[in-house]
Amino acid sequence: MIKTSKDRQFRPVAVPDVDLGGFWGKWQDAVCDSTAQTLLDRCVEAGMLKAIDVSQPSPGIVIPIQPWGGSTQMFWDSDLGKSIETIAYSLYRRANPELEARADAIIDMYEKLQDQDGYVNAWFQRVQPDRRWKNLRDHHELYCAGHLMEAAVAYFQATGKRKLLDVMCRFADYMIKVFGHGPGQLAGYCGHEEIELALVKLARVTGEKKYLDLSKFFVDERGTEPHFFTEESIRDGRDASDFHQKTYEYGQAHQPVREQRKVVGHAVRAMYLYSGMADIATEYKDDSLTAALETLWDDLTTKQMYITGGIGPAAANEGFTDYFDLPNDTAYAETCASVGLVFWASRMLGRGPDRRYADVMEQALYNGALPGLSIDGKTFFYDNPLESTGKHHRWKWHHCPCCPPNIARLVTSIGSYMYAAAEDEIAIHLYGESKARLKLASGADLELAQTTNYPWDSAIAFTTTLASPARFAISLRIPEWAKGATLSVNGAILDLSACVVDGYARIERNWSDGDRVALYLPLALRPQFANPKVRQDAGRVALMRGPLVYCVETTDNGEDLNTIILPSNLPSGKTTVLSELNGAVAVDLPVEREDTGAWGKSLYRSEPARREPATARFVPYHLWDNRTPGEMLVWVQSDQ
Amino acid sequence: MIKTSKDRQFRPVAVPDVDLGGFWGKWQDAVCDSTAQTLLDRCVEAGMLKAIDVSQPSPGIVIPIQPWGGSTQMFWDSDLGKSIETIAYSLYRRANPELEARADAIIDMYEKLQDQDGYVNAWFQRVQPDRRWKNLRDHHELYCAGHLMEAAVAYFQATGKRKLLDVMCRFADYMIKVFGHGPGQLAGYCGHEEIELALVKLARVTGEKKYLDLSKFFVDERGTEPHFFTEESIRDGRDASDFHQKTYEYGQAHQPVREQRKVVGHAVRAMYLYSGMADIATEYKDDSLTAALETLWDDLTTKQMYITGGIGPAAANEGFTDYFDLPNDTAYAETCASVGLVFWASRMLGRGPDRRYADVMEQALYNGALPGLSIDGKTFFYDNPLESTGKHHRWKWHHCPCCPPNIARLVTSIGSYMYAAAEDEIAIHLYGESKARLKLASGADLELAQTTNYPWDSAIAFTTTLASPARFAISLRIPEWAKGATLSVNGAILDLSACVVDGYARIERNWSDGDRVALYLPLALRPQFANPKVRQDAGRVALMRGPLVYCVETTDNGEDLNTIILPSNLPSGKTTVLSELNGAVAVDLPVEREDTGAWGKSLYRSEPARREPATARFVPYHLWDNRTPGEMLVWVQSDQ
């Protein structure tokens, strides 16, 4: 009776169709109050408006060309794009005429900048106009277009204004002429993936299949032989071997995507590619892409992912290294990479709910992406180590400002990751105080109110508002960690063992106005141990509570956090609500502590350190460095 | 009755006065068989002879000027100097007319290169002649002279040939004119210390106090205000703030040396400075220097030293970072830095034997310096991590080839670190099969034969050969780790509690021909724990046996060495002699091993890994990477 996964097409609800309260509401308020404007201010300070304003002379090369042959100035369009996208989502939550006027002005500039043929790119129109489409491998040309497309869709959805959407449709129409296998066309793709998933968004909002087809073209061409990047560089008179990072794996262009089995290279690029692939798999029901993605998913999540959902341990390539190489203190784990993992995971749910993806989406969202933003929305983490000796703190800005707008747009659009709709089914992937407006192709039209203090509390309640009763299914994720979860409809307990498929409790019935679904997800503190092949976590344990990874900080626990030893039988902790951290739940646990004071002078000795009983306070990792700065540690010593 | 330490003047015996057998004899054979010639071959291949041969045109700049304003080519004189020094010591052990002829030819070139005024420096005579004495801070000018002086002394002692010694005396005489506080003189010193200790060697072999005085001048001037480096850069039209590493701490020139309390900056520079300071303290009985050195010694050995005696954890400054920051896998711990620590420690023994220094000298010698050389003498470690995932291996050469000749000259001159003589006392700092010829100022003239298989075995015996009986003292180090050591003279057991001062058993008596001293140093395996402030060693234990740090390697123990867990009560191990590793003693111990095979697919889970009983083979750390390459680990998990 229950449909199997993979034969449906779930698409996220539009951002404006979900109102957030509670946990996410506070984060969205921080973006509305601070981040949205800060992003734009910083872009303006960097000189980005001069770059697109045709009424002013071109600023020329402001950020010098680097050894890899480009400049971060080449991606300024993407910074503006992500900032406009964030503003769009923030405007939906809270009107801000001043900010909207500034965004409108920028969009006007882009409209004026656009060439007759539809091309738009600040760098290649105003700084190096002779270099258009000359180096797709390194110069982020389509990447920039992708971010402007995402901005266009978001701004249209939030404000109803079509100008940027029309600009980007014209650009996409021009791309359709430029790219292909016909005479004079380029059979190429971008070195930094992004355009693929952006074209899908454009297609979904416009209903134009041609944009899907172009996205599929980019996906299909990637890594095929003869290799586009090699041929392109020869045509351009460049040494084909002089590639940044020396390998096509850096941009996942080393093999056709359907043959790729190992997650490699630059982490953000990988996540954006797989996101685009998953969208194409959903839209075309392409099992060959789904099969490759499932293999890649396993590769990432069972061999290359921090417990925080952070990915890409190395700064050198901003990406992946060896299996099970997960250093904690030097972890790169870029905020953008976890944002990208959320993107990918959400799109793996396109062909049917499966907690294999949604559990990791939640893990990466709370613990990999969200640390990138301070609770006041004013400062940002770029890299996210799991251990700090006290020198790692949030930045006001970054020389490569990709992360701040990325986490801001994710936070403000989080509603679209919580709910997804297929023809006659609603999937609820994430929990949080919210109200969603949902319209199913089968006809149902409802509002779903979710009342909860999740992730701090276990109880989650849904109430339906329906003009007329309708038959459809609601699928609710039961996280793998939620042992002992219970579910009831209008007070009648459901047998989860009978209704859970792929980790989702599927309730198919005639729904009426005022129906009540109650879900209880136990939030017991869970010790987590790493595969013993992860040498950096040997002898150590991390704590999770619900979806949240916890850590210890100096402000609560003094210095030398590595002297904390958690007992092998996890004692029951005492929870405390911290009002200064947005009502976060801290956990105080009895532990042992190595006594540094009694150690004596020698650096090494034959006796281990004396241990003293102590109490350690654990706080959610995503909130670290929001109070007095100091050390931080996720993986503490375990007394096994 | 027993003299206190610090009021005597011990000087090392000359290298030719000690013949080595056993453990060190084999290492010296490797240098004689391979390293000595390899060093010279590599220097020639690099083009260093062209640089000094005035019958050929100057090679010009072969190695480009780097961002710090210099080129490693500027130190070619030091590479040639250390190579000649190594050859000199090797010639003493084993005649090699071909190698000697090659060294003679190089020395002839230096003689021809020398200016009328006495100046010798390949770079500043042949490449940038207008830059002489213009940038003492960065350009290693006196550093090069120092290494040529050390070579001159060694070559004279080994062969009796004075030519290089005379060249370098003329250079030193010229320096005396250049440096000072008189009109037109420079009150400066070298950014990379070395000349200080070299001038002491020159003074000791020539008996010329003027060279000691110049050394003392360099020591006294360092870090005083107005700052020489600042004034020099202004005179030279350079920006005084544009200093490599941005701080005078890099070259220990941030304060007058007597005010320095913290070991900072480039590790090799620090060790060479402190060595020179200790020599000056000994020669001038300068308590103000000794006091500073004792503080610095504590600072280094109780807060900043790996258990291997490796120092300087960071590659970025080739030096020191924060207290207790001792990462194992990324440890820089340059071979040269531990060689320098041996230099410093040996010189701290100048004012009287004290195992506080000699124990660390032995620790750094065996575990910090010696790993720099493969057992065949053909390949070299530059940096010495305490953990490797299998990618760290010895080099045939290095772009900055300072380490290979440094470890080679230490190995071949090790006899002079074992024995030292004061007026009426012999100190024995290190043990090893050897024969030493000793002449005391008080008149005694003896040969001391040491018979032992130390460091593999515990028993050490000395036999005296004396033409006529004489009264003097022999002080033998009782290492702090040697609990239960015993000592006898001609079969009569001594009460160590009555005769040990500062960790040395002092035997003052009338010695006759054929007297026999028997020392027994128990070599029980010792667990070693780090101060709990060393976060990288938390929950871990290292094993030592005698002076040797042990490690595990993949070739003996398979992969995933971090799954090895040593029981809290160290079991007795089984020792095995490994003939393929020069008769090294391996220790097999019952351990537990985390089962990676049974873990399953997930990366994280609530249950810790299952443990299985296993046996682990521990081998001496200094011998790692001499067999099948693989992982290596010093600090293994401890089941405390």
Side-chain angles (χ1 to χ4, degrees):
Chain A
M1 291 303 296
I2 293 171
K3 286 189 187 180
T4 59
S5 199
K6 314 284 180 285
D7 54 0
R8 290 162 289 171
Q9 290 175 300
F10 280 87
R11 297 185 181 90
V13 300
V15 176
D17 289 333
V18 188
D19 302 332
L20 275 298
F23 181 92
W24 287 107
K26 288 177 194 163
W27 282 102
Q28 291 194 340
D29 284 340
V31 177
C32 291
D33 290 344
S34 295
T35 323
Q37 181 176 322
T38 296
L39 296 177
L40 200 50
D41 289 347
R42 298 277 187 276
C43 288
V44 174
E45 285 162 23
M48 294 187 193
L49 294 197
K50 272 186 209 147
I52 57 170
D53 183 357
V54 293
S55 73
Q56 298 187 55
S58 164
I61 298 174
V62 178
I63 301 176
I65 304 290
Q66 297 297 304
W68 54 272
S71 154
T72 55
Q73 188 184 345
M74 286 174 167
F75 347 137
W76 277 3
D77 288 330
S78 75
D79 299 321
L80 283 170
K82 282 189 282 188
S83 299
I84 292 172
E85 188 182 347
T86 303
I87 289 168
Y89 301 143
S90 78
L91 289 178
Y92 175 72
R93 182 174 183 83
R94 188 183 307 169
N96 186 333
E98 193 199 337
L99 206 53
E100 185 168 346
R102 291 176 69 186
D104 286 341
I106 294 169
I107 290 167
D108 287 346
M109 289 181 206
Y110 271 113
E111 189 186 38
K112 292 197 180 96
L113 178 67
Q114 185 163 42
D115 270 3
Q116 285 287 355
D117 56 15
Y119 186 82
V120 190
N121 183 295
W123 179 275
F124 292 105
Q125 291 180 276
R126 306 248 296 153
V127 183
Q128 292 191 327
D130 57 325
R131 301 287 300 151
R132 185 193 293 191
W133 306 138
K134 287 292 197 315
N135 184 348
L136 294 180
R137 196 185 65 184
D138 300 330
H139 288 170
H140 299 62
E141 206 167 352
L142 289 166
Y143 167 85
C144 284
H147 278 300
L148 287 172
M149 280 177 198
E150 289 198 85
V153 171
Y155 206 71
F156 168 69
Q157 287 181 326
T159 66
K161 295 176 184 171
R162 294 194 57 98
K163 189 178 280 183
L164 188 56
L165 190 66
D166 290 339
V167 166
M168 296 316 294
C169 284
R170 285 197 292 273
F171 193 2
D173 292 337
Y174 170 61
M175 285 180 202
I176 291 170
K177 293 177 202 155
V178 172
F179 292 93
H181 285 290
Q185 286 186 309
L186 294 171
Y189 42 88
C190 192
H192 195 316
E193 304 90 326
E194 152 68 19
I195 188 71
E196 299 83 357
L197 71 88
L199 284 164
V200 174
K201 281 193 176 180
L202 197 65
R204 284 177 177 167
V205 81
T206 61
E208 291 283 1
K209 183 166 178 294
K210 62 184 175 183
Y211 302 139
L212 283 184
D213 291 342
L214 179 59
S215 173
K216 185 169 187 298
F217 172 83
F218 289 138
V219 166
D220 290 344
E221 287 303 310
R222 193 166 206 88
T224 58
E225 295 290 343
H227 205 286
F228 175 76
F229 289 162
T230 304
E231 303 217 317
E232 172 198 62
S233 59
I234 292 167
R235 269 199 308 277
D236 195 31
R238 286 179 283 116
D239 178 354
S241 70
D242 187 24
F243 184 26
H244 185 45
Q245 301 286 342
K246 306 295 176 206
T247 162
Y248 289 155
E249 294 193 349
Y250 179 61
Q252 300 79 40
H254 56 299
Q255 283 178 311
V257 298
R258 289 171 181 79
E259 294 171 22
Q260 295 191 20
R261 297 281 174 271
K262 188 168 187 281
V263 173
V264 294
H266 186 275
V268 176
R269 294 179 194 226
M271 294 307 105
Y272 285 11
L273 169 63
Y274 308 150
S275 296
M277 286 166 64
D279 277 340
I280 295 299
T282 298
E283 295 298 338
Y284 291 83
K285 296 192 177 181
D286 184 336
D287 289 334
S288 66
L289 280 174
T290 302
L293 288 167
E294 286 177 349
T295 302
L296 291 166
W297 183 267
D298 262 12
D299 188 78
L300 179 71
T301 57
T302 68
K303 299 190 184 78
Q304 306 203 64
M305 187 181 77
Y306 287 99
I307 194 166
T308 55
I311 53 173
N317 65 342
E318 300 192 303
F320 300 99
T321 57
D322 298 321
Y323 284 157
F324 304 107
D325 177 39
L326 296 167
N328 292 305
D329 52 350
T330 62
Y332 196 66
E334 188 183 334
T335 300
C336 281
S338 289
V339 170
L341 177 52
V342 173
F343 291 169
W344 181 23
S346 74
R347 285 158 172 87
M348 291 303 282
L349 300 165
R351 304 195 71 191
D354 189 336
R355 75 174 175 201
R356 179 182 173 202
Y357 306 114
D359 280 4
V360 168
M361 175 168 77
E362 187 178 47
Q363 185 176 5
L365 170 65
Y366 281 104
N367 308 294
L370 196 51
L373 194 61
S374 62
I375 52 174
D376 63 6
K378 289 179 178 168
T379 55
F380 311 95
F381 274 141
Y382 194 96
D383 45 329
N384 293 282
L386 285 78
E387 174 174 11
S388 167
T389 58
K391 294 180 178 173
H392 189 78
H393 305 295
R394 288 188 179 77
W395 301 59
K396 285 201 182 299
W397 200 237
H398 198 277
H399 66 95
C400 177
C402 51
C403 296
N406 231 351
I407 177 61
R409 69 183 177 131
L410 178 59
V411 162
T412 41
S413 63
I414 197 65
S416 71
Y417 296 84
M418 297 174 77
Y419 302 93
E423 200 184 328
D424 57 356
E425 181 168 354
I426 294 162
I428 305 175
H429 302 306
L430 298 173
Y431 300 108
E433 176 87 9
S434 56
K435 201 173 284 179
R437 288 168 289 281
L438 297 148
K439 213 170 206 165
L440 300 182
S442 60
D445 190 348
L446 73 156
E447 192 178 275
L448 200 57
Q450 184 179 173
T451 310
T452 181
N453 193 27
Y454 185 88
W456 307 126
D457 289 347
S458 295
I460 304 164
F462 296 88
T463 314
T464 58
T465 306
L466 277 139
S468 54
R471 185 170 186 86
F472 57 89
I474 296 181
S475 284
L476 299 106
R477 181 174 63 104
I478 312 297
E480 198 190 357
W481 49 258
K483 309 297 180 208
T486 61
L487 182 66
S488 66
V489 178
N490 296 327
I493 299 282
L494 299 191
D495 176 4
L496 286 179
S497 68
C499 69
V500 169
V501 184
D502 294 332
Y504 279 71
R506 191 169 189 278
I507 317 173
E508 185 174 358
R509 64 195 292 277
N510 289 309
W511 294 93
S512 306
D513 190 55
D515 280 339
R516 230 184 112 77
V517 177
L519 177 64
Y520 185 89
L521 299 177
L523 295 175
L525 208 60
R526 308 191 307 284
Q528 291 283 289
F529 300 89
N531 185 319
K533 283 184 162 290
V534 183
R535 63 191 178 87
Q536 295 96 346
D537 300 335
R540 292 178 176 265
V541 60
L543 291 184
M544 291 189 76
R545 182 177 184 269
L548 302 179
V549 173
Y550 273 64
C551 70
V552 282
E553 285 191 271
T554 289
T555 188
D556 299 312
N557 300 290
E559 294 187 344
D560 299 318
L561 299 175
N562 273 291
T563 60
I564 294 171
I565 301 166
L566 214 57
S568 53
N569 286 317
L570 195 64
S572 65
K574 186 179 143 292
T575 58
T576 305
V577 174
L578 301 179
S579 58
E580 73 270 30
L581 289 179
N582 277 357
V585 170
V587 184
D588 295 328
L589 284 172
V591 298
E592 288 191 306
R593 197 84 186 247
E594 288 170 346
D595 190 345
T596 57
W599 174 267
K601 189 176 152 187
S602 69
L603 191 44
Y604 306 102
R605 70 180 202 194
S606 287
E607 290 298 313
R610 205 178 64 190
R611 297 180 180 186
E612 298 285 345
T615 300
R617 168 161 289 186
F618 288 76
V619 296
Y621 170 75
H622 74 271
L623 293 169
W624 89 273
D625 198 40
N626 272 294
R627 297 173 295 162
T628 310
E631 297 173 33
M632 179 279 297
L633 186 64
V634 168
W635 289 97
V636 298
Q637 284 199 69
S638 165
D639 192 9
Q640 290 306 320
Chain B
M1 293 301 297
I2 292 170
K3 287 189 188 182
T4 59
S5 199
K6 314 286 181 283
D7 55 359
R8 290 161 288 173
Q9 290 175 299
F10 280 87
R11 298 185 180 89
V13 302
V15 176
D17 289 333
V18 188
D19 301 333
L20 276 298
F23 181 92
W24 288 107
K26 287 177 193 162
W27 282 103
Q28 292 194 338
D29 284 341
V31 176
C32 292
D33 290 345
S34 295
T35 323
Q37 181 175 322
T38 296
L39 296 178
L40 201 49
D41 289 348
R42 298 277 187 276
C43 289
V44 173
E45 285 162 22
M48 295 188 194
L49 294 197
K50 272 187 209 144
I52 58 170
D53 183 356
V54 293
S55 72
Q56 298 188 55
S58 164
I61 298 173
V62 177
I63 301 176
I65 304 289
Q66 296 298 303
W68 53 272
S71 153
T72 55
Q73 188 184 344
M74 286 176 166
F75 351 135
W76 278 2
D77 288 330
S78 75
D79 298 322
L80 283 170
K82 283 190 280 188
S83 299
I84 292 171
E85 188 182 346
T86 303
I87 290 168
Y89 301 144
S90 80
L91 289 177
Y92 174 73
R93 180 173 183 86
R94 189 185 305 168
N96 185 333
E98 192 199 338
L99 206 53
E100 185 169 347
R102 291 177 69 188
D104 286 339
I106 293 169
I107 290 167
D108 287 345
M109 289 180 207
Y110 270 113
E111 188 186 40
K112 291 197 180 97
L113 177 67
Q114 186 164 42
D115 269 4
Q116 285 287 357
D117 57 15
Y119 186 81
V120 191
N121 182 297
W123 179 275
F124 291 105
Q125 290 179 278
R126 308 248 296 154
V127 182
Q128 291 192 328
D130 57 325
R131 299 288 299 152
R132 186 193 293 192
W133 306 137
K134 287 290 197 319
N135 184 348
L136 294 180
R137 194 186 66 185
D138 299 331
H139 288 169
H140 298 63
E141 207 167 351
L142 289 166
Y143 168 84
C144 283
H147 277 300
L148 287 172
M149 280 177 199
E150 289 199 85
V153 170
Y155 206 70
F156 167 68
Q157 287 180 325
T159 66
K161 295 176 185 171
R162 296 194 56 97
K163 188 178 282 184
L164 189 56
L165 190 65
D166 291 339
V167 165
M168 295 317 294
C169 285
R170 285 196 293 273
F171 193 0
D173 292 338
Y174 170 60
M175 286 179 202
I176 290 170
K177 293 178 204 156
V178 170
F179 291 95
H181 284 290
Q185 285 186 309
L186 294 172
Y189 42 89
C190 191
H192 194 316
E193 305 91 326
E194 153 66 20
I195 188 71
E196 300 82 358
L197 72 87
L199 283 164
V200 173
K201 281 193 177 180
L202 198 65
R204 284 176 176 168
V205 81
T206 61
E208 292 282 2
K209 182 164 178 297
K210 61 185 177 184
Y211 301 140
L212 285 184
D213 292 341
L214 180 60
S215 173
K216 184 168 186 301
F217 172 83
F218 289 138
V219 167
D220 290 343
E221 288 302 311
R222 193 166 207 89
T224 57
E225 295 291 343
H227 205 287
F228 176 77
F229 288 161
T230 303
E231 302 217 317
E232 173 197 62
S233 60
I234 293 167
R235 269 198 309 276
D236 195 31
R238 287 180 281 118
D239 178 355
S241 71
D242 187 23
F243 183 27
H244 185 44
Q245 301 287 342
K246 306 292 176 210
T247 163
Y248 289 154
E249 294 193 350
Y250 180 60
Q252 300 78 41
H254 55 301
Q255 284 178 309
V257 298
R258 288 173 183 79
E259 295 170 23
Q260 296 190 21
R261 298 282 174 271
K262 187 167 188 281
V263 172
V264 294
H266 186 276
V268 177
R269 295 179 194 226
M271 295 304 106
Y272 285 12
L273 168 63
Y274 307 150
S275 297
M277 286 167 65
D279 277 339
I280 295 300
T282 298
E283 293 299 338
Y284 291 83
K285 295 192 176 181
D286 184 336
D287 288 333
S288 66
L289 280 173
T290 302
L293 288 167
E294 285 177 349
T295 302
L296 291 165
W297 183 267
D298 261 13
D299 188 79
L300 179 71
T301 57
T302 69
K303 298 189 185 79
Q304 306 204 63
M305 187 181 78
Y306 286 99
I307 195 166
T308 55
I311 53 174
N317 65 343
E318 300 192 304
F320 300 100
T321 57
D322 298 321
Y323 285 157
F324 304 108
D325 177 39
L326 296 167
N328 291 306
D329 52 350
T330 62
Y332 197 65
E334 188 183 334
T335 300
C336 281
S338 289
V339 169
L341 177 52
V342 173
F343 291 170
W344 181 23
S346 74
R347 285 158 171 88
M348 291 303 282
L349 300 166
R351 303 195 72 191
D354 189 337
R355 76 176 175 200
R356 179 182 173 203
Y357 306 113
D359 280 5
V360 168
M361 174 168 77
E362 188 179 45
Q363 187 177 3
L365 170 66
Y366 281 103
N367 308 294
L370 196 52
L373 195 62
S374 63
I375 51 174
D376 63 7
K378 289 179 179 168
T379 54
F380 312 96
F381 274 142
Y382 193 96
D383 46 327
N384 292 281
L386 284 77
E387 174 174 11
S388 168
T389 57
K391 293 179 178 174
H392 188 78
H393 305 295
R394 287 187 179 76
W395 302 58
K396 285 201 182 300
W397 201 237
H398 198 278
H399 66 95
C400 177
C402 52
C403 296
N406 232 350
I407 178 59
R409 68 183 177 133
L410 177 60
V411 161
T412 41
S413 63
I414 197 65
S416 70
Y417 296 84
M418 297 174 78
Y419 301 93
E423 198 184 328
D424 57 355
E425 181 168 353
I426 294 162
I428 306 176
H429 301 306
L430 298 173
Y431 300 106
E433 175 88 8
S434 56
K435 202 172 283 181
R437 288 167 289 280
L438 298 148
K439 214 171 204 162
L440 300 183
S442 61
D445 190 348
L446 74 156
E447 192 177 277
L448 200 58
Q450 183 179 173
T451 310
T452 182
N453 192 28
Y454 186 90
W456 308 125
D457 289 348
S458 295
I460 304 164
F462 295 90
T463 313
T464 59
T465 306
L466 278 138
S468 53
R471 185 167 186 89
F472 58 89
I474 297 181
S475 284
L476 300 107
R477 179 174 64 101
I478 312 297
E480 198 190 357
W481 49 259
K483 309 296 180 207
T486 60
L487 182 66
S488 66
V489 178
N490 296 328
I493 300 282
L494 299 190
D495 176 5
L496 287 180
S497 68
C499 69
V500 169
V501 184
D502 294 334
Y504 279 70
R506 190 169 190 276
I507 316 173
E508 184 173 1
R509 66 194 292 277
N510 289 310
W511 294 94
S512 307
D513 190 54
D515 280 339
R516 231 182 111 76
V517 176
L519 176 65
Y520 185 89
L521 299 178
L523 296 176
L525 208 60
R526 307 192 307 284
Q528 292 282 290
F529 300 89
N531 185 317
K533 283 183 162 292
V534 183
R535 63 191 177 87
Q536 294 95 347
D537 300 335
R540 292 179 176 265
V541 61
L543 292 184
M544 291 189 74
R545 183 178 184 268
L548 302 179
V549 173
Y550 274 64
C551 70
V552 282
E553 286 192 88
T554 289
T555 187
D556 299 312
N557 300 291
E559 293 186 345
D560 298 319
L561 299 175
N562 274 292
T563 60
I564 295 172
I565 301 166
L566 215 56
S568 53
N569 287 316
L570 195 64
S572 64
K574 186 178 142 290
T575 58
T576 306
V577 173
L578 302 179
S579 57
E580 73 271 29
L581 289 179
N582 279 357
V585 170
V587 183
D588 295 329
L589 283 172
V591 297
E592 287 191 306
R593 198 84 187 248
E594 288 170 344
D595 190 345
T596 56
W599 175 267
K601 190 177 151 186
S602 69
L603 191 43
Y604 306 102
R605 71 179 201 193
S606 287
E607 289 299 312
R610 205 177 65 191
R611 298 180 180 186
E612 298 285 342
T615 299
R617 167 160 290 186
F618 288 77
V619 296
Y621 171 74
H622 74 272
L623 292 169
W624 88 275
D625 198 43
N626 272 294
R627 297 173 297 162
T628 309
E631 297 173 34
M632 179 278 297
L633 185 64
V634 168
W635 289 97
V636 298
Q637 285 198 68
S638 164
D639 193 7
Q640 289 305 322

